[in-house]
């Protein structure tokens, strides 16, 4: 088999690739990383550049073709003239230095037309890569098509070179690019970018999560490309078949519609567990800054809880004291807010204040005394040792107490004191099912030390009710989509060619699928959404004091203990 050296074997515009890859870390909207967490995900920019450079011949292998282009030859000759003059001057200097026994660098080999032509062509390919790796060009068909054309040219050269190969018809079909195979695809960056560059991509992995990620990214979208949505709202529009649905836009429209249906249905079923906060006159009396919200009901974004254990001080042994790593809610300049505990004899309550605390250091530390599980009793100041807290956790005596409520204001976060009714509602939640799977691997680093041995232990009862509800709705949405499809006169629940049901003269591609296939495809993305929710709906999530939002469970590849956790409202916007 004849082989030509590839561009990746000679040179790459690494600065541009590295810069674009680094930038991807700050991109969220539309990035595959938002579909599902995958730790070793490769940057899309790097994957796209590497695959392109692997498929494209280095210009040094087709200089004869470059020479046949008069324009390229003239430009190369002009540059060669300048370089040759510089080379001759360097050679003369080296000769003079040698005659005088003075060390001087050698001028190197004499520059040639072939080298200059290859270098200029390489620069042209570099420009394609530099445009290709930009996030804004991820779906830019003009840029992608230029890259695909280069890949096709290199492939046709390979086919011509190997025309006499005994298996040429099978291996070197000039009308069909070779397929891309990734048996350990992981997060799917490589097969996704191979597909984007026009290659038929095949991906697999030993991890079933990775298989689902790749299925969602590279198998399902092309399967339903060009198909219009099937949801009732879209079908009610007269323009449904008059407008085009390029790529997976129709599928995306259905994912949005049925995702909203799931959210609305969940609110009907469990909305009573997530009450709004009414700003009463009594609240405003304590907090004059809330006067603009008087009488209004605000949607809760999160409830801030602190884990509790019985005080080790015999005088307060009957009191569940908080294990709060901080009392600060917001440290953003000009928007500071904090929790202030109020001790009343052998009990306590929490209030929330805005502005800078009188004792910033105390507010920052909460009831924590040092690293790890070392706290102090809020009532007596007595130290609470880590071993005591662990023993209480393993004995099932670790609880939680509401410290604050974060609500959605008018373009701002509104921090409110805990309301007894909100805490009571949360405690009434009783999940019908609780995950019994034992924590394994890095998940066992800390959790079992505090009596949390199963996955169900890292969720509050209300969180489990929400996750159970949304999980059930994923199954229900499959039946709903199938019903919507089969009730549509265009589908009849059978394998159908979309062109058969389009009105005469309407444009569209062939969309061949069964109702169940499509329903399961939409449900796949909705299941990922629920999975994403699980990452933000556990008792290991924290409240970020400057971004003023919830930090997900997996901040790193382990489950660390979280003392004061933020419980998100799953039906808030």
């Amino acid at each position: 088999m004849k082989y030509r050296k590839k561009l990746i074997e000679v040179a790459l515009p690494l600065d541009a690739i590295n810069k674009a890859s680094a930038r991807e870390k700050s991109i969220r909207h539309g990035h595959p990383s938002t579909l599902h967490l995958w730790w070793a995900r490769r940057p899309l920019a790097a994957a796209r550049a590497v695959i392109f450079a692997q498929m494209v011949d280095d210009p040094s292998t087709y200089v004869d073709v470059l020479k046949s282009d008069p324009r390229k030859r003239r430009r190369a000759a002009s540059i060669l003239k300048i370089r040759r003059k510089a080379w001759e001057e360097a050679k003369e200097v080296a000769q003079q230095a040698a005659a005088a026994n003075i060390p001087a660098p050698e001028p190197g080999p004499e520059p040639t037309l072939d080298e200059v032509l290859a270098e200029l062509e390489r620069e042209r390919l570099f420009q394609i890569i530099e445009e290709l790796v930009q996030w804004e060009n991820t779906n830019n068909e003009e840029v992608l098509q230029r890259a695909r054309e280069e890949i096709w040219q290199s492939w046709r050269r390979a086919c011509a070179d190997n025309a006499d190969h005994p298996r040429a018809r099978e291996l070197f079909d000039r009308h069909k690019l070779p397929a891309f195979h990734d048996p350990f695809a992981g997060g799917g960056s490589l097969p996704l970018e191979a597909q984007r560059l026009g290659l038929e991509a095949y991906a697999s992995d030993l991890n079933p999560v990775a298989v689902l990620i790749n299925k969602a990214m590279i198998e399902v979208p092309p399967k339903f490309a060009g198909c219009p949505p099937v949801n009732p709202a879209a079908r009610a529009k007269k323009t449904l078949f008059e407008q085009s649905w390029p790529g997976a836009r129709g599928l995306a429209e259905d994912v949005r519609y049925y995702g909203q249906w799931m959210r609305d249905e969940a609110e009907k079923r469990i909305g009573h567990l997530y009450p709004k906060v009414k700003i009463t006159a009594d609240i405003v009396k304590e907090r004059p800054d809330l006067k603009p919200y008087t009488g209004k009901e605000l949607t809760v974004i999160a409830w801030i809880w602190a884990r509790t254990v019985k005080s080790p001080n015999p005088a307060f042994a009957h009191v569940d004291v908080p294990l709060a790593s901080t009392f600060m809610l917001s440290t953003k300049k000009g928007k500071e807010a904090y929790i202030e505990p109020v001790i009343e004899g052998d009990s306590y309550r929490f209030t929330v204040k805005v502005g800078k605390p009188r004792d910033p250091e105390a507010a920052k530390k909460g009831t924590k005394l040092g690293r790890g599980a070392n706290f102090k009793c809020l009532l007596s100041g007595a130290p609470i040792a880590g071993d005591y807290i662990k023993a209480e956790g393993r004995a099932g005596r670790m609880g939680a107490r509401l410290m604050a409520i974060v609500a959605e204001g008018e373009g701002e976060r509104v921090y409110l004191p805990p309301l007894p009714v909100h805490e009571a509602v949360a405690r009434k939640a009783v999940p019908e099912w609780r995950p019994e799977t034992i924590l394994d691997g890095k998940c066992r680093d800390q959790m079992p030390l505090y009596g949390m041995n199963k996955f169900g232990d890292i969720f509050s009862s209300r969180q489990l009710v929400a996750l159970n509800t949304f999980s059930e709705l994923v199954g229900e949405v499959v039946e709903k989509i199938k019903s919507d499809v089969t009730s549509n006169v265009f589908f009849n629940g059978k394998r159908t060619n979309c062109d058969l049901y389009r009105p005469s003269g309407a444009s569209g591609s062939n969309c061949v699928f069964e109702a169940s296939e499509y329903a399961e495809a939409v449900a796949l993305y909705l299941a990922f959404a629920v999975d994403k929710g699980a990452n933000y709906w556990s008792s290991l999530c924290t409240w970020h004091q400057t971004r003023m939002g919830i930090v997900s469970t997996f901040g790193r590849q382990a489950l660390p203990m979280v003392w004061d956790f933020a419980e998100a409202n799953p039906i808030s916007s």
Side-chain angles (χ1 to χ4, degrees), residues 401-530:
R401 179 156 173 175
L402 187 61
M403 292 201 300
I405 297 172
V406 186
E408 184 179 349
E410 295 176 1
E412 65 175 350
R413 298 282 188 263
V414 178
Y415 298 97
L416 301 166
L419 301 177
V421 65
H422 278 245
E423 190 163 359
V425 166
R427 297 194 189 283
K428 286 180 182 178
V430 179
E432 294 181 358
W433 178 81
R434 181 181 294 270
E436 296 295 327
T437 307
I438 300 297
L439 292 169
D440 192 22
K442 291 184 178 180
C443 295
R444 290 191 65 83
D445 280 358
Q446 296 185 30
M447 298 299 100
L449 298 174
Y450 304 97
M452 299 180 183
N453 292 297
K454 301 174 182 178
F455 276 100
D457 296 334
I458 66 173
F459 299 94
S460 70
S461 293
R462 182 162 60 174
Q463 288 172 330
L464 287 174
V465 169
L467 286 168
N468 285 344
T469 302
F470 278 98
S471 297
E472 289 167 3
L473 284 168
V474 172
E476 291 179 29
V477 86
V478 171
E479 297 306 315
K480 178 170 176 58
I481 295 170
K482 285 163 66 175
S483 175
D484 289 343
V485 170
T486 52
S487 66
N488 183 343
V489 296
F490 301 128
F491 291 84
N492 299 318
K494 298 178 181 179
R495 189 172 286 278
T496 311
N497 186 315
C498 288
D499 283 341
L500 295 179
Y501 66 75
R502 278 193 168 85
S504 177
S507 61
S509 61
N510 292 336
C511 309
V512 183
F513 59 87
E514 290 178 358
S516 59
E517 285 181 272
Y518 189 71
E520 289 169 5
V522 174
L524 172 62
Y525 296 100
L526 296 176
F528 270 122
V530 175

Side-chain angles (χ1 to χ4, degrees), residues 85-149:
K85 180 180 179 182
W87 177 82
E88 289 173 350
E89 290 174 353
K91 182 181 178 182
E92 184 178 347
V93 169
Q95 289 174 345
Q96 292 174 353
N101 290 323
I102 300 173
E106 291 293 326
E110 182 178 356
T112 66
L113 183 64
D114 287 5
E115 289 176 354
V116 177
L117 278 166
E119 187 178 313
L120 290 174
E121 179 70 359
R122 211 172 281 126
E123 288 176 2
R124 186 184 70 82
L125 294 176
F126 281 5
Q127 288 177 356
I128 292 176
I129 293 176
E130 288 167 4
E131 290 185 349
L132 195 62
V133 297
Q134 296 303 313
W135 173 254
E136 291 76 12
N137 292 331
T138 301
N139 293 309
N140 187 324
E141 275 301 312
E142 183 181 342
V143 172
L144 291 171
Q145 190 55 36
R146 283 205 298 271
R148 292 171 192 145
E149 288 170 0

